[in-house]
């Protein structure tokens, strides 16, 4: 099982749609969880940290399920500007370093 | 100032050249990182400096040589690279290299990257 796995997509959705991404991780000792967003040919930028109780930031909701070792990201009322690759990031390598998933590409269409 | 600044933005070099990539942050972060990213792939960790000391080297070939002159600067010296080393090189920093889920100490801020082409 790979350390951090994501569905690569692409997810093609119309404006206004709700879309959900899942990510699974293999190291049960992991403690830090993030969603980063990366636009084409740009650097990754932090979208949200993911906390045990779940957290929401506007249209974005992140959930953590430690028992099943997965993280989710829900985007409501999708905007054209949400089109990007969403990277799931988890700590837990051999020295605790952050491990990136391969990313899920989202394309929001008019 | 919440930026990580990388120079140059673009670099083209031959396999016999010696060049350097530079990274600077003034957020008081004590951990700095080099990542390599190929097209349509996630960033791959190369090196981590914590409190100006090399703490992680992910088995990177010796033709890549990192240097951390002070807490704000991180360099990556390049020598005798191969065409397959062409990639986007990303510098990042975080407040610390603590791997807990509460403090936010390991939240990464990335620079815009240096796009390297090796001919």
């Amino acid at each position: 099982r790979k350390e951090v796995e994501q569905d690569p997509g692409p997810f093609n959705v119309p404006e206004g749609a709700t879309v959900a991404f899942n990510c699974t991780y293999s190291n049960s000792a992991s403690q830090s969880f993030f969603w980063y967003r990366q636009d084409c040919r740009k650097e990754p930028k932090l979208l949200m940290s993911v906390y045990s109780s779940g957290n929401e930031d506007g249209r974005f909701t992140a959930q953590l399920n430690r028992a099943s070792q997965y993280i989710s990201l829900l985007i409501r009322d999708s905007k054209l500007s949400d089109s990007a690759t969403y990277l799931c990031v988890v700590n837990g390598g051999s020295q605790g370093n952050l491990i990136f998933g391969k990313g899920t590409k989202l394309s929001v269409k008019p | 100032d919440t930026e990580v600044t990388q120079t140059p933005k673009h670099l083209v070099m031959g396999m016999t050249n010696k060049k350097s990539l530079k990274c600077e942050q003034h957020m008081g972060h004590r951990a700095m990182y080099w990542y390599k990213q190929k097209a349509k792939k996630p960033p791959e960790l190369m090196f981590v400096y914590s409190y100006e000391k090399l703490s992680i080297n992910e088995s990177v070939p010796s033709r890549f040589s990192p240097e951390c002159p002070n807490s704000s600067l991180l360099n990556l010296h390049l020598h005798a690279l191969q065409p397959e080393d062409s990639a986007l090189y990303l510098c990042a920093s975080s407040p610390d290299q603590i791997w807990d889920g509460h403090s936010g100490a390991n939240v990464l801020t990335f620079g815009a990257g240096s796009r390297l082409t090796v001919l």
Side-chain angles (χ1 to χ4, degrees):
Chain A
R1 183 178 176 184
K2 292 181 185 160
E3 291 190 86
V4 179
E5 287 199 74
Q6 294 182 248
D7 182 340
F11 283 58
N12 297 309
V13 302
E15 268 186 295
T18 295
V19 61
F21 306 138
N22 289 328
C23 166
T24 57
Y25 61 95
S26 60
N27 189 336
S28 60
S30 296
Q31 297 187 56
S32 299
F33 310 92
F34 308 96
W35 284 102
Y36 279 76
R37 171 201 167 121
Q38 186 169 25
D39 292 287
C40 187
R41 300 181 71 82
K42 300 280 191 180
E43 75 274 23
K45 292 186 178 178
L46 179 68
L47 179 66
M48 300 177 76
S49 299
V50 186
Y51 302 118
S52 296
S53 55
N55 46 304
E56 187 174 310
D57 182 3
R59 298 181 293 110
F60 299 86
T61 301
Q63 296 278 351
L64 168 63
N65 184 319
R66 285 189 185 272
S68 302
Q69 293 180 213
Y70 81 79
I71 307 143
S72 63
L73 176 68
L74 183 76
I75 306 176
R76 290 180 298 279
D77 189 23
S78 300
K79 311 290 185 194
L80 296 176
S81 56
D82 294 333
S83 297
T85 296
Y86 290 82
L87 296 160
C88 176
V89 184
V90 177
N91 84 297
S94 59
Q95 299 185 61
N97 50 292
L98 296 179
I99 308 295
F100 283 75
K102 290 185 185 296
T104 298
K105 186 170 181 180
L106 172 66
S107 182
V108 181
K109 307 289 189 186
Chain B
D1 188 352
T2 57
E3 280 190 348
V4 176
T5 304
Q6 289 188 243
T7 56
K9 290 193 186 323
H10 299 275
L11 178 62
V12 180
M13 60 187 290
M15 289 190 283
T16 57
N17 291 158
K18 283 186 183 181
K19 297 285 185 184
S20 297
L21 306 181
K22 297 185 184 300
C23 176
E24 189 169 4
Q25 58 87 15
H26 294 288
M27 295 179 279
H29 288 178
R30 302 315 301 265
M32 295 186 77
Y33 310 76
W34 281 114
Y35 283 85
K36 173 182 177 180
Q37 188 174 27
K38 303 277 271 185
K40 299 187 190 301
K41 300 285 188 185
E44 292 176 31
L45 183 64
M46 299 175 73
F47 302 103
V48 182
Y49 273 82
S50 180
Y51 290 82
E52 299 161 52
K53 290 189 173 7
L54 183 65
S55 69
I56 294 178
N57 177 340
E58 291 284 14
S59 303
V60 179
S62 60
R63 58 186 183 269
F64 295 92
S65 174
E67 179 197 17
C68 188
N70 60 53
S71 60
S72 299
L73 293 174
L74 186 65
N75 298 323
L76 186 63
H77 302 300
L78 315 170
H79 176 51
L81 295 194
Q82 305 296 310
E84 60 264 28
D85 296 322
S86 298
L88 179 67
Y89 287 84
L90 292 160
C91 175
S93 69
S94 64
D96 210 323
Q97 198 191 347
I98 299 172
W99 309 112
D100 68 66
H102 306 287
S103 68
N106 59 350
V107 174
L108 297 174
T109 300
F110 283 91
S114 293
R115 192 163 296 279
L116 173 67
T117 302
V118 182
L119 301 176

